[in-house]
Amino acid sequence: DSEPKKEDLQRITGLMDGFKASKALFTASKLCVFDLLQSRPGLDASQVAHEIKASVKGTECLLEACASLGLLKSKERTSQKPVYENTDLAVRFLRSDAPFSLHGYIQHCNNTVWPLFSHLESAVREGTNQYERAFGKKSKDVFQDTYYNSQDVKLRFMSAMHSIAKVTGKSVATAFDLSGYKTACDLGGCTGAMAYEFTKAHPGLSVIVFDLPAVVEMSEHFHPPHTDNRVSFVAGDFFKDELPKADLYILARILHDWPDEKVHILLSKIADACTPGCAVLIAETMLDGQTPYSALQSLNMLVQTEGKERSESKYTDMLSKHGFGNTRVVHTMNFLDAFIAIKM
Ligand code: SAM
């Protein structure tokens, strides 16, 4: 056998270490290290430890880990301890008040996704989400049974969705020429973040955000400072209630939450509400084998929901059963791909 190659070993060690890097990021984010160093750049480890009420030893290790991951810059001052400041990456995405902050999503990963992933083996054996093992509670409908039972968990989940929707919204909203559409309904539109991006990109478009009452009642916490009166909110259950009339239905990160049977129930309700020329716009990460992102996201859906990620051809096939065709896909190079299909 030839000696192991350095690149091969590095790849495997990178994979083995991935979870340590994730947890270092989650912990620094939870302890507000990036917010602290934004307002007070140049603190050393013992000053940071004092501010975040943590041990000096632990804080030193955490700050060095963050520096090695490119999240902090450490500057050696001659014969003194190193001092730290945020890198551009941390300034843009990790501060909690940055316009494209991923803080909300990182907290969701730390509090919910991490404990669920620790039961991945059971999820794979059983093919079901792991709420019962991780949190002692059975969860058939993750939204109504779990996230929305507590106000804190609900706000944390909404804030996680909000942060991704803000980062991805523009590329999804501008993926296709939508100038022919006047009214859209964003099904499961959560905080409205995606809807506001659609109205910004399309001056002639109004968007109704349709989501469960528990979400709609909290949505005003997330409205942008200058709200657009072309975005409105309607509370309801998209499996049970009548859908608002629109000529474009947006489904952003909705179908991946549900098994095929439920996707067909929802698509058939949308098809009933559509006349020829109406469209469905799906924003999901498409399984395509090109990058690990979508396949790993599918494991994420496995441990969290009843759903999974699907390929472009699977969505095309599912939509064709409800009379939608002329499908097009834009790979946005962002977290989400955009897919459109027209009612024939
Ligand atoms: N579309 C948003 C986005 O891309 O940021 C949120 C996606 S989140 C994964 C799924 C959304 O579907 C949540 O806002 C949830 O409240 C909503 N939802 C779940 N079940 C629903 C139902 N039965 N009726 C209406 N909305 C529902």
Side-chain angles (χ1 to χ4, degrees), residues 42-182:
L43 298 182
D44 66 26
S46 49
Q47 291 168 314
V48 173
H50 178 74
E51 294 298 326
I52 65 173
K53 299 184 177 55
S55 69
V56 175
K57 180 184 176 190
T59 305
E60 276 171 356
C61 291
L62 181 65
L63 296 177
E64 277 308 305
C66 289
S68 75
L69 295 169
L71 309 177
L72 296 177
K73 285 184 274 195
S74 103
K75 287 193 190 145
E76 294 280 347
R77 292 178 309 189
T78 35
S79 78
Q80 281 181 10
K81 296 178 195 152
V83 297
Y84 296 89
E85 57 185 65
N86 285 336
T87 58
D88 291 345
L89 210 56
V91 172
R92 271 178 72 67
F93 299 112
L94 303 180
R95 287 190 286 143
S96 57
D97 62 351
F100 292 123
S101 177
L102 289 170
H103 183 80
Y105 195 72
I106 292 169
Q107 291 317 299
H108 171 67
C109 289
N110 191 35
N111 290 295
T112 305
V113 183
W114 176 272
L116 291 171
F117 255 87
S118 70
H119 298 288
L120 184 59
E121 182 184 330
S122 307
V124 170
R125 287 187 194 284
E126 297 158 6
T128 53
N129 78 51
Q130 294 297 309
Y131 283 95
E132 194 168 9
R133 276 200 182 76
F135 301 110
K137 202 161 78 178
K138 250 202 162 56
S139 179
K140 186 87 181 108
D141 180 323
V142 48
F143 304 99
Q144 312 207 48
D145 298 340
T146 306
Y147 293 153
Y148 303 157
N149 274 340
S150 123
Q151 203 72 344
D152 282 359
V153 179
K154 176 168 77 176
L155 276 176
R156 200 168 66 215
F157 177 73
M158 289 178 74
S159 151
M161 294 305 106
H162 191 73
S163 62
I164 299 283
K166 275 179 78 177
V167 171
T168 55
K170 187 174 175 189
S171 52
V172 171
T174 56
F176 304 105
D177 174 8
L178 302 178
S179 54
Y181 301 99
K182 296 282 163 271

Side-chain angles (χ1 to χ4, degrees), residues 141 143-144 148 157 161-162 164-165 186-191 193-194 210-212 215 236-240 251-254 256-258 283 301 336:
D141 180 323
F143 304 99
Q144 312 207 48
Y148 303 157
F157 177 73
M161 294 305 106
H162 191 73
I164 299 283
D186 187 3
L187 293 166
C190 205
T191 66
M194 194 64 92
F210 184 88
D211 211 303
L212 293 165
V215 170
D237 181 327
F238 53 45
F239 290 122
K240 295 185 182 145
L251 293 162
R253 294 189 289 166
I254 300 302
H256 74 177
D257 293 332
W258 307 104
M301 302 327 292
L336 296 175

Side-chain angles (χ1 to χ4, degrees), residues 1-9:
D1 252 8
S2 59
E3 283 296 299
K5 284 203 203 96
K6 191 175 165 202
E7 313 84 81
D8 291 344
L9 283 176

